[in-house]
Amino acid sequence: TMFTMVVSSMVPLGQTQGTYREHKQWYQRRVRGQKWSGKSYSFSELSQMNVKSAPSQQGTFYRPYVSENLTVVEPCQAVKCHLSMTVIMDSSGSVGADNYWKELGFVKTLLQILAVKAEDVNLKICVGLISYSTYVHVEVDPCCENSICRIVDKFRDRKRLDYRSGSTNTAGALKVARQMLQGPASFKKVALLITDGYSNF
């Protein structure tokens, strides 16, 4: 059965390295309700903020270890948006092709609704798209112009979003997503992970 998990903010972006266990322990503390300094904004609140004043990354940018063989996503702090979002789609063998197409349909509908809502309140949203199984693939970089439109355009042609069966490298996907979220300057960073089970990496 497919399920979704929304992570409202990734591991603190100033923290440059760490093992998977350390990242997992941080997230467990986060969801168990321990004190967190991040602020949650509604669309209405975000729309009242001047996008040009979106805060830039503070401290060192996170990079995965070279030995992890993961895609390196370059930061783009000159790009400013109210909300930076990364969608992470599991295409591992246990998901199967049929469920993967359902993932695509769900994400397409979600982003179409998000695009309409954002336009209604004059909100700029930068969206990145990742698919993963054994390897992690950056489908759309959040730093490009009209990133939501580019993702929706990809959904119109399934051949441009291949189903790549394999293992479940969720840890690697989250590390790539973390880089993508620290790319553009924004007031809020959100990751949406769609998967069917535990990472086996």
Side-chain angles (χ1 to χ4, degrees), residues 116-147:
V116 172
K117 294 290 186 181
E119 186 174 1
D120 285 346
V121 294
N122 197 28
L123 202 70
K124 183 175 181 182
I125 303 178
C126 299
V127 182
L129 181 67
I130 292 172
S131 65
Y132 75 97
S133 52
T134 304
Y135 302 102
V136 183
H137 303 273
V138 175
E139 305 289 357
V140 176
D141 191 310
C143 294
C144 68
E145 287 295 323
N146 299 317
S147 53

Side-chain angles (χ1 to χ4, degrees), residues 16 21 25 28 35 57 67 70 75 78 81 83 97 105 122 133 150 165 179 184 187:
T16 58
R21 177 176 293 180
Q25 289 173 343
Q28 287 174 337
K35 185 176 180 181
Q57 166 73 23
S67 60
L70 294 171
C81 49
L83 172 67
N122 197 28
S133 52
R150 290 198 182 190
S165 181
Q179 295 179 80
F187 294 104

Side-chain angles (χ1 to χ4, degrees), residues 73-145:
V73 181
E74 295 299 330
C76 53
Q77 294 288 283
V79 176
K80 295 184 179 293
C81 49
H82 293 97
L83 172 67
S84 177
M85 179 178 180
T86 297
V87 179
I88 311 155
M89 301 188 306
D90 183 353
S91 69
S92 60
S94 59
V95 170
D98 288 344
N99 281 329
Y100 182 67
W101 303 131
K102 291 177 183 177
E103 281 187 67
L104 294 182
F106 165 74
V107 174
K108 177 182 177 181
T109 301
L110 173 68
L111 293 183
Q112 286 176 328
I113 294 171
L114 190 63
V116 172
K117 294 290 186 181
E119 186 174 1
D120 285 346
V121 294
N122 197 28
L123 202 70
K124 183 175 181 182
I125 303 178
C126 299
V127 182
L129 181 67
I130 292 172
S131 65
Y132 75 97
S133 52
T134 304
Y135 302 102
V136 183
H137 303 273
V138 175
E139 305 289 357
V140 176
D141 191 310
C143 294
C144 68
E145 287 295 323

